[in-house]
Amino acid sequence: MIKIASIDEIKSGKVSDIYFIRTEKILRSKRIDKNVVAEFSAKSLPGGIPWAVFSGLSDVLDLLKDIPVDVEAIPEGSIFTSDVPVMTISGKYLDFGKFETTILGLICQASGIATQAARFSVAAKGRPILSFGTRRMHPSICAVIDRNAYIGGCSGISTVFSGEVLGLEPSGTVPHSLILLFGDTVEAIKAFDDVIPGNVPRIALIDTFNDEKFEAVRVAEAMGESLYGVRLDTPASRRGNFKKILREVRWELDVRGYKNVKIIVSGGLDIEDVKELNDYVDSYGVGTSISNARVVDFSMDIVEIEGKKIAKRGKMSGKKDVYVGNSPLDIEVVYKGMLPTAEDYRKLTRKYMEKGKIVTDIPDDFEIRRYVLSQLRELEV
Ligand code: PCP
């Protein structure tokens, strides 16, 4: 049997490090249950990157629904930097302490994937990126991966289940297996053209048998107007300079009048590859580099107990508000209720949950993605 926790098991608090369960047992036996404020922040960001995208809040709110706690947070999709409290939970410790492991699991991975997708978006300078990476991860989290890739800036996803859950049309055309089974690139794309509805773009995979530039020309001549693009999936598998291969493909298509045929590249891409290949690429498919993104190393820290400011070494005590200026990187953290030093900064922190009830709606994924993209205009990778 595939060993995954069910939603009910997650909501029961069982997906928890045992020391939180032991802490709960001790506190209950000694009749200690205090009001606490716990904040979530990251001391540093993965690989020392300067900014990240906050995600996972909607899942946290779902987890905490009907538990008598208050949740304040910066909006999902907000850019944040290290040491910024992205979320605060206030309430009786025993009501939510055992969920620390689960809550971190919900925001650390989601934010890591959304951040990496956003970094790819910046690197691609507006060229569409498709999320191809669910095959690298456990299938039970495929929609989590694709949702975060999408809100981070990917323009599409490839998995049928994610498409259903997220309300997106999955993208993807020809795998190598189809071409191998037909024994020829042109035969395979022609069969695709015969069978698959006309609204799906015809994109021929051209790296299976022969040199990409000759295959590109063959499929363009065979398909004529109906060919949307060609895909090269194995940038690292051939000897030679991949950028030069792309330049050749572009050239050979252009000089034969196929300027409209797009070039799509996928397979083992990282951010530096994208920056390097942008000149000749119209869109990318990215798997591992996004789905296996480094997590954001958030921690949960108590910063107030019974209204008294208290925090462990290295953490600033007290509940806080986050403000942002014109650039998403102009962030100021102030003690709750105080004003930032710059007058034109606006408050990012808002209350999302009061005593277990949602008091501020989370926008849909499309809106969150738009919000992320609007902030990315100011950022670099
Ligand atoms: C897969 C697919 C994508 C790849 C994965 C993206 O490649 O074609 O381009 O994943 P990555 O970024 O993790 O490399 P293959 O396994 O070559 O696909 P297939 O043989 O099924 O066409």
Side-chain angles (χ1 to χ4, degrees):
M1 201 182 75
I2 300 178
K3 293 180 179 54
I4 55 165
S6 68
I7 299 291
D8 284 347
E9 284 163 334
I10 293 169
K11 287 195 171 185
S12 77
K14 209 190 281 187
V15 184
S16 174
D17 293 300
I18 184 92
Y19 63 2
F20 294 126
I21 305 300
R22 289 184 177 140
T23 298
E24 181 177 316
K25 193 173 175 188
I26 296 163
L27 292 173
R28 282 195 196 285
S29 114
K30 300 292 178 188
R31 297 184 200 290
I32 297 170
D33 192 9
K34 297 187 178 177
N35 279 304
V36 303
V37 174
E39 74 177 25
F40 295 78
S41 62
K43 263 199 151 336
S44 60
L45 298 177
I49 56 173
W51 54 268
V53 176
F54 176 51
S55 182
L57 174 63
S58 40
D59 288 345
V60 173
L61 295 176
D62 187 47
L63 176 80
L64 296 176
K65 199 153 79 70
D66 298 328
I67 296 173
V69 293
D70 294 354
V71 178
E72 290 176 44
I74 62 174
E76 213 164 8
S78 296
I79 300 294
F80 67 95
T81 51
S82 55
D83 290 319
V84 169
V86 295
M87 184 171 74
T88 305
I89 302 178
S90 312
K92 293 273 188 201
Y93 181 80
L94 286 177
D95 283 333
F96 70 93
K98 68 178 175 187
F99 289 111
E100 180 168 341
T101 309
T102 306
I103 294 169
L104 289 171
L106 291 173
I107 60 173
C108 292
Q109 186 180 30
S111 300
I113 293 172
T115 299
Q116 187 70 333
R119 297 179 73 238
F120 266 94
S121 298
V122 173
K125 296 188 189 319
R127 290 164 188 80
I129 296 171
L130 294 178
S131 166
F132 277 3
T134 56
R135 65 179 61 198
R136 309 298 185 208
M137 299 289 130
H138 197 284
S140 58
I141 60 164
C142 109
V144 174
I145 292 166
D146 279 335
R147 190 246 176 187
N148 287 294
Y150 177 71
I151 68 167
C154 284
S155 30
I157 50 89
S158 62
T159 320
V160 176
F161 180 76
S162 299
E164 278 178 26
V165 173
L166 305 174
L168 299 170
E169 193 61 46
S171 308
T173 55
V174 176
H176 290 98
S177 50
L178 186 75
I179 296 173
L180 288 161
L181 289 162
F182 273 89
D184 179 66
T185 305
V186 169
E187 291 303 309
I189 192 68
K190 286 197 138 200
F192 186 99
D193 195 33
D194 276 349
V195 175
I196 302 297
N199 62 330
V200 179
R202 274 57 181 143
I203 299 174
L205 181 59
I206 55 164
D207 63 3
T208 309
F209 291 121
N210 299 309
D211 186 273
E212 288 89 337
K213 84 168 177 183
F214 296 110
E215 289 285 73
V217 171
R218 270 186 79 224
V219 292
E221 287 173 347
M223 295 285 289
E225 290 286 287
S226 58
L227 187 69
Y228 177 84
V230 292
R231 180 164 74 99
L232 293 82
D233 185 57
T234 44
S237 71
R238 279 181 39 148
R239 273 178 294 146
N241 179 324
F242 190 65
K243 190 172 182 179
K244 279 191 170 176
I245 297 169
L246 290 173
R247 191 173 66 187
E248 268 177 56
V249 170
R250 184 73 274 162
W251 175 274
E252 299 299 341
L253 288 170
D254 287 356
V255 296
R256 287 168 178 77
Y258 300 114
K259 277 191 191 285
N260 58 321
V261 173
K262 308 254 188 257
I263 295 182
I264 295 103
V265 168
S266 59
L269 296 170
D270 63 28
I271 285 173
E272 292 310 311
D273 296 325
V274 166
K275 287 194 203 164
E276 164 83 13
L277 302 177
N278 273 339
D279 289 348
Y280 300 107
V281 177
D282 296 291
S283 74
Y284 296 97
V286 180
T288 313
S289 294
I290 291 177
S291 63
N292 192 40
R294 288 182 65 173
V295 299
V296 176
D297 187 8
F298 287 117
S299 61
M300 180 182 114
D301 295 282
I302 291 176
V303 290
E304 275 186 29
I305 298 179
E306 295 295 346
K308 193 167 155 259
K309 295 177 268 302
I310 183 170
K312 73 176 188 186
R313 287 170 61 226
K315 285 276 168 186
M316 294 190 296
S317 64
K319 198 170 188 177
K320 304 166 190 86
D321 283 327
V322 179
Y323 280 80
V324 68
N326 280 332
S327 156
L329 296 184
D330 291 340
I331 294 175
E332 193 173 337
V333 177
V334 299
Y335 180 61
K336 183 101 202 136
M338 303 207 27
L339 291 174
T341 43
E343 275 178 13
D344 56 345
Y345 277 27
R346 64 203 155 75
K347 192 164 149 187
L348 263 190
T349 309
R350 40 195 90 159
K351 186 176 262 191
Y352 284 93
M353 177 171 274
E354 210 167 292
K355 303 238 173 304
K357 303 280 171 256
I358 307 269
V359 291
T360 301
D361 285 333
I362 299 258
D364 64 25
D365 294 343
F366 179 79
E367 278 306 316
I368 296 175
R369 177 174 181 272
R370 209 155 63 167
Y371 172 48
V372 173
L373 292 176
S374 72
Q375 298 164 94
L376 297 185
R377 281 186 224 120
E378 308 273 331
L379 301 176
E380 292 175 4
V381 287

